[in-house]
Amino acid sequence: MLRATTQLPAGHAQGPAFDSVVLDHDQRRLRRRLLPLQGGGEVMVDFPQTVTLDHLGALQLDDGRLVEIIAAPEHLYEVLGRDAAHLVRLAWHIGNRHTSAQLEAGRILIKRDHVLKPMLEGLGARIVEVHEPFYAEHGAYHSHADSGHADSGHALLAR
């Protein structure tokens, strides 16, 4: 069985991958898991701590080969506000419900949720259904031993 014990960040420049794995947001946060390869077969990931795998990063196998990580498109809501202050208020309401969110300068992305959509619309948000990779922020209460903090180059609301 193929085994990966090292993760490489996006832009690692360690050479081409021999295969790839497509994972959604929740699947990219892992410590130990068997992952299906796109070309068939599987790879066992076994890290000492929980990590978040970068889109276009790689898993390095025991034999030195690389498996590229690809963030899978997901069904999301794009939450849009009237202005920056309104978007911050919407972000507060989303966070108050402990909902994973991707925060960007002009929008918030969340997983589609039939309860949150009418609540956000009631607060004046415009909601657009999108299908794209999801890079949610990790909460402040995750383990400080985590070695994976994938920013993936997305602009945060505070920037």
Side-chain angles (χ1 to χ4, degrees):
M1 172 178 291
L2 299 175
R3 187 167 178 260
T5 55
T6 304
Q7 70 158 337
L8 300 172
H12 56 78
Q14 296 294 311
F18 87 98
D19 208 336
S20 63
V21 60
V22 178
L23 304 169
D24 68 23
H25 173 262
D26 294 335
Q27 293 169 327
R28 291 192 315 272
R29 183 127 176 100
L30 53 82
R31 188 193 76 73
R32 183 169 164 43
R33 187 173 303 147
L34 190 62
L35 301 175
L37 297 172
Q38 291 295 288
E42 299 171 317
V43 60
M44 172 56 75
V45 173
D46 190 9
F47 297 133
Q49 295 103 10
T50 301
V51 300
T52 300
L53 302 174
D54 287 347
H55 172 61
L56 301 180
L59 299 170
Q60 188 167 34
L61 304 182
D62 287 342
D63 64 10
R65 291 183 294 167
L66 302 178
V67 174
E68 184 175 45
I69 297 141
I70 299 171
E74 300 184 51
H75 296 286
L76 307 170
Y77 287 142
E78 179 181 55
V79 180
L80 303 166
R82 292 182 297 272
D83 54 32
H86 185 225
L87 197 60
V88 168
R89 182 171 170 244
L90 296 169
W92 185 88
H93 284 282
I94 290 167
N96 192 42
R97 280 139 186 94
H98 303 279
T99 299
S100 296
Q102 178 178 325
L103 306 173
E104 297 182 6
R107 69 181 187 163
I108 302 167
L109 293 176
I110 61 172
K111 290 188 177 185
R112 292 184 192 173
D113 183 304
H114 70 283
V115 173
L116 288 178
K117 183 180 182 198
M119 179 207 68
L120 291 165
E121 289 172 332
L123 292 167
R126 186 164 62 95
I127 307 296
V128 178
E129 292 184 1
V130 297
H131 189 245
E132 61 186 80
F134 188 44
Y135 308 98
E137 294 296 312
H138 293 290
Y141 300 109
H142 70 276
S143 168
H144 291 285
D146 283 358
S147 59
H149 296 278
D151 180 25
S152 301
H154 292 280
L156 299 178
L157 189 59
R159 289 187 187 158

